[in-house]
Amino acid sequence: MTLPALHNTGVVYRRILSQFPQDISLAFAYGSGVFKQHGTSQGQMEKNMMDFVFAVDDPVTWHTMNLLQNRKHYSILKLLGPTKINSIQNDHGAAVYYNTLVPVDGRIIKYGVISTESLIEDLMHWKTMYVAGRLHKPVKMLVQNENGKLRAALVANLKSAVMASFLMLPESFNEEDLFMQIAGLSYAGDFRMVIGEDKSKVANIVKDNIEHFRSLYNNILQDCPQAVYKPQQGKLEVDKSPEGQFIQLMALPRTLQQKITKFVDPPGKNRDVEEILLQVAQDPDCGAVVQQGISTIVKSSSITQSIKGIATAGIWKSVSYSSKKLLKMWKGWRRRKPSVSHMS
């Protein structure tokens, strides 16, 4: 099974991609500059920054070529050279190197570079959930080479998102409940949702993109033995028995299982993962434990990646980017603030 992709790449995306070194194993665009979000007009959308991620097999060579082609995209870190840029990329935060507020072909873009190896690890094991979390939601897939391991990891990541969400949802629910849960996974514990992000972000992502979510998850839901999926009614029922929850817990990515076992198993007891997850499966608070595990992963990577982002963007771009985020959060808050009716 291959990942359903939105193949209509369009001239805008092809023109932007043509500005970069072409040795890319996976490229996708995401965010409010790419997909319409609830409460955003087409005109606003076209003014929003476009977000990209490029996975590359050899980051040192890619940065070497990109520094020759697009030196202005980099902060003062460009003076350190491509090998040091690669170690900053791999050794800190979520293994992604971002250049932000970059003017390309009449649009403002932000692009992150990650090694194909780090991407596969995040998709399979949710080590940071930073890029894996973005790929839980619809993206515009621009380049996808024939790397079988990467293709399998992309599908495994979607299956993991479904399993984690099942554990946090009741026995029966509708598609929108599921897609809201999935879209919210990578924001659980993200400190930027406290300051700097529009709090209604998850609802805004899902509401106008139900069809895109459906095309991404339809095959997985149809084939899932843990659930009964009725696509015509948009309804799902999931096995909430201890046996069913144990199967779902055993299907979760390795890092998340490790976080869960750390919460539940007292220090020094050293039981095996299977025994601990069997205990969790029988716990009425099973869903809350899974949520806590995800929050721990996301919180750590969102803080470290944001600190790294100040260095990779440069101080002035960081201030500009953060102020735009805060303005967006303020507008979202104003939209949701109830109007006070005055009594005469």
Side-chain angles (χ1 to χ4, degrees):
M1 177 190 165
T2 56
L3 183 77
L6 306 170
H7 287 296
N8 177 20
T9 55
V11 163
V12 173
Y13 298 100
R14 287 200 294 274
R15 284 175 67 101
I16 289 171
L17 275 178
S18 71
Q19 311 283 319
F20 294 96
Q22 294 304 292
D23 189 15
I24 291 173
S25 63
L26 184 87
F28 65 88
Y30 65 97
S32 59
V34 177
F35 287 95
K36 189 176 183 309
Q37 292 185 4
H38 194 66
T40 307
S41 69
Q42 190 66 33
Q44 281 173 296
M45 186 181 147
E46 285 168 11
K47 287 178 191 164
N48 285 346
M49 184 162 66
M50 295 169 82
D51 298 88
F52 295 83
V53 168
F54 304 147
V56 301
D57 291 344
D58 181 351
V60 175
T61 301
W62 197 90
H63 283 298
T64 302
M65 293 168 72
N66 200 42
L67 281 161
L68 290 169
Q69 282 178 237
N70 298 305
R71 195 169 177 80
K72 285 182 179 172
H73 294 184
Y74 291 80
S75 70
I76 198 165
L77 297 183
K78 61 176 164 272
L79 301 177
L80 300 174
T83 307
K84 190 65 184 166
I85 284 172
N86 179 53
S87 53
I88 291 166
Q89 175 182 308
N90 282 326
D91 301 343
H92 305 281
V96 193
Y97 189 101
Y98 271 102
N99 284 325
T100 191
L101 294 174
V102 174
V104 178
D105 206 51
R107 293 292 297 260
I108 299 295
I109 75 163
K110 175 178 87 174
Y111 63 94
V113 183
I114 184 169
S115 75
T116 309
E117 187 185 352
S118 294
L119 175 59
I120 290 170
E121 189 178 7
D122 198 32
L123 293 168
M124 293 299 295
H125 305 304
W126 286 9
K127 189 179 174 188
T128 68
M129 267 182 79
Y130 201 84
V131 179
R134 275 150 185 71
L135 286 161
H136 291 158
K137 300 174 273 288
V139 300
K140 202 172 268 294
M141 204 59 77
L142 308 172
V143 174
Q144 192 176 346
N145 72 9
E146 293 303 314
N147 181 330
K149 204 173 167 189
L150 178 54
R151 284 177 179 271
L154 287 161
V155 177
N157 181 48
L158 298 179
K159 287 181 176 174
S160 297
V162 168
M163 285 298 158
S165 297
F166 281 175
L167 286 158
M168 291 186 276
L169 285 163
E171 194 169 355
S172 57
F173 46 91
N174 63 34
E175 283 176 322
E176 190 169 336
D177 296 330
L178 175 63
F179 299 149
M180 288 280 283
Q181 190 71 55
I182 288 171
L185 291 176
S186 61
Y187 297 116
D190 189 337
F191 85 100
R192 293 170 306 169
M193 293 301 279
V194 178
I195 182 161
E197 292 283 8
D198 181 355
K199 299 287 199 312
S200 54
K201 185 166 187 162
V202 174
N204 292 347
I205 289 167
V206 174
K207 276 180 183 163
D208 283 355
N209 293 295
I210 293 280
E211 278 305 319
H212 289 146
F213 274 94
R214 218 172 261 145
S215 70
L216 202 53
Y217 287 99
N218 181 62
N219 290 349
I220 289 168
L221 295 173
Q222 296 273 21
D223 296 343
C224 180
Q226 292 294 300
V228 177
Y229 177 40
K230 302 169 187 167
Q232 288 77 19
Q233 292 103 337
K235 304 270 190 208
L236 293 105
E237 288 170 23
V238 68
D239 184 356
K240 298 300 279 187
S241 70
E243 296 79 13
Q245 295 203 135
F246 177 64
I247 291 166
Q248 292 154 32
L249 286 162
M250 288 298 288
L252 294 176
R254 187 177 65 205
T255 309
L256 180 52
Q257 288 181 341
Q258 288 166 349
K259 299 291 182 193
I260 291 168
T261 56
K262 208 171 171 184
F263 294 140
V264 177
D265 208 32
K269 215 166 176 196
N270 296 327
R271 292 181 296 165
D272 67 21
V273 171
E274 204 166 319
E275 191 186 339
I276 297 162
L277 294 182
L278 193 57
Q279 179 193 324
V280 175
Q282 296 168 63
D283 188 332
D285 293 327
C286 174
V289 175
V290 173
Q291 174 88 31
Q292 195 181 355
I294 292 169
S295 295
T296 309
I297 297 169
V298 172
K299 186 177 184 179
S300 171
S301 66
S302 72
I303 291 171
T304 53
Q305 184 64 35
S306 292
I307 292 165
K308 182 168 92 172
I310 294 168
T312 61
I315 193 73
W316 294 116
K317 279 188 179 181
S318 295
V319 169
S320 174
Y321 181 61
S322 301
S323 62
K324 284 185 172 75
K325 287 279 186 187
L326 288 166
L327 182 63
K328 208 170 168 185
M329 184 178 89
W330 168 252
K331 284 178 177 171
W333 179 78
R334 286 297 298 266
R335 273 201 304 275
R336 290 192 314 283
K337 192 178 176 187
S339 56
V340 180
S341 57
H342 295 284
M343 302 286 288
S344 53

